[in-house]
Amino acid sequence: MLLYDTLIGPFAEFEFMRRALAGTVALALGGAPVGVFLMLRRMSLVGDAMAHAILPGVAVGFLLFGLDLVAMTLGGLVAGFAVAIFAGVLARVTALKEDASLAAFYLVSLALGVTIVSVRGTNIDLLHVLFGNILALDDDALMVIAINSTITLALLALIYRPLVAECVDPLFLRTVSRSGGLAHLTFLALVVVSLVSGFQALGTLLAVGLMILPAGIARFWSRDISGMIVIATLAAIASGYAGLVLSFASKVPSGPAIILSAAVLYVISVLFGSVDGVLRRRLMRGHLEA
């Protein structure tokens, strides 16, 4: 009975918990595959920078319309796309590399977004924008997350082959096809869409966590890209469920609880993972030395 009350009872009894779990599953389905490609393309920190880049757009939507989901979502999309385009253009017309230009935009975006929210809102509003509130998801928020995740999965399926080819051998892709540039731009758009989906639930600061940490977990359990995507998605769902249970049973905020649950899985994977896990490498080294 205690096990039921802890693991199942909150979702059976409270609708807001079921909504939060549904939102987490939708975010995992759309965000985890994107996170895998971010990791394989060595763009994990780019994802973090883009998460902060959407903040000014979200803040402008909040400034004009308050906590209106549609306005904040559209503002985040516009800001994310604008930063991605400007950073790419700046990297091509100057000696500055794309990661450095993104870092500059990220710092400016974070400061500008916090300033805009602070002008009209309270500290509670600022915390809502920065850290989200997955326990307060309504029908509109769930619909936005579900639509964005569906679009993300559909477009990923279309550009899957060039994305994989670019991860494995980008020079070969440029030799045999011109689809690499379009696939790269489409992928950056999907990163923005995934982050905008996550900000309502986890905030602009933590949304990237449910993309990158599950991808890192998958890296220690599979060498195959499709296997990584499946494992990352399952890890994201498990982290969301565990975080919600932890949040319900304690005073830990739901967003940080989800990310901390993913961090625990990440540490376990680093230690015990079947692909380059610390203990497995030591066992293999000891076997070779013997």
Side-chain angles (χ1 to χ4, degrees):
M1 182 63 69
L2 179 61
L3 197 62
Y4 175 87
D5 291 340
T6 302
L7 300 180
I8 301 176
F11 303 98
E13 185 175 355
F14 298 104
E15 184 179 0
F16 71 89
M17 290 293 289
R18 294 194 293 273
R19 289 176 181 271
L21 183 60
T24 302
V25 171
L27 287 174
L29 291 173
V34 174
V36 169
F37 283 106
L38 278 173
M39 177 191 67
L40 292 175
R41 293 158 65 93
R42 295 177 176 86
M43 294 174 61
S44 298
L45 292 179
V46 171
D48 185 56
M50 293 302 298
H52 297 83
I54 69 173
L55 183 55
V58 173
V60 169
F62 169 78
L63 183 65
L64 296 177
F65 301 98
L67 292 172
D68 182 86
L69 176 63
V70 175
M72 295 170 70
T73 298
L74 291 176
L77 286 172
V78 171
F81 289 140
V83 168
I85 293 172
F86 288 151
V89 170
L90 188 63
R92 283 162 177 76
V93 300
T94 68
L96 199 65
K97 292 189 179 297
E98 190 170 13
D99 59 342
S101 59
L102 274 172
F105 279 112
Y106 138 67
L107 292 170
V108 174
S109 298
L110 180 59
L112 182 60
V114 170
T115 301
I116 293 174
V117 175
S118 300
V119 166
R120 172 171 176 176
T122 64
N123 288 336
I124 294 177
D125 295 323
L126 181 60
L127 289 175
H128 176 82
V129 172
L130 293 179
F131 298 104
N133 187 0
I134 197 169
L135 297 180
L137 293 179
D138 56 15
D139 289 341
D140 292 338
L142 285 176
M143 185 61 67
V144 169
I145 294 172
I147 291 173
N148 286 348
S149 295
T150 302
I151 293 172
T152 299
L153 289 174
L155 289 179
L156 270 181
L158 289 176
I159 63 173
Y160 182 80
R161 290 174 64 88
L163 278 182
V164 173
E166 191 171 22
C167 291
V168 176
D169 192 344
L171 181 59
F172 172 77
L173 178 63
R174 288 194 294 269
T175 302
V176 300
S177 174
R178 297 181 179 179
S179 62
L182 179 60
H184 178 72
L185 292 177
T186 304
F187 178 70
L188 286 180
L190 293 182
V191 172
V192 174
V193 169
S194 297
L195 291 171
V196 170
S197 296
F199 94 85
Q200 181 71 10
L202 300 173
T204 56
L205 294 184
L206 295 179
V208 72
L210 209 58
M211 297 166 59
I212 299 302
L213 281 173
I217 292 167
R219 171 63 181 81
F220 288 98
W221 296 101
S222 177
R223 299 183 186 275
D224 179 70
I225 293 179
S226 58
M228 288 183 191
I229 290 175
V230 172
I231 294 171
T233 303
L234 293 176
I237 294 173
S239 301
Y241 172 78
L244 290 173
V245 170
L246 174 62
S247 177
F248 186 84
S250 65
K251 295 182 179 181
V252 179
S254 53
I258 290 173
I259 302 305
L260 288 174
S261 298
V264 170
L265 291 179
Y266 181 78
V267 172
I268 293 173
S269 300
V270 170
L271 293 176
F272 303 104
S274 59
V275 179
D276 291 333
V278 173
L279 294 183
R280 180 176 178 82
R281 290 175 65 181
R282 288 198 172 185
L283 288 174
M284 291 293 293
R285 185 182 304 170
H287 174 72
L288 292 174
E289 290 177 352

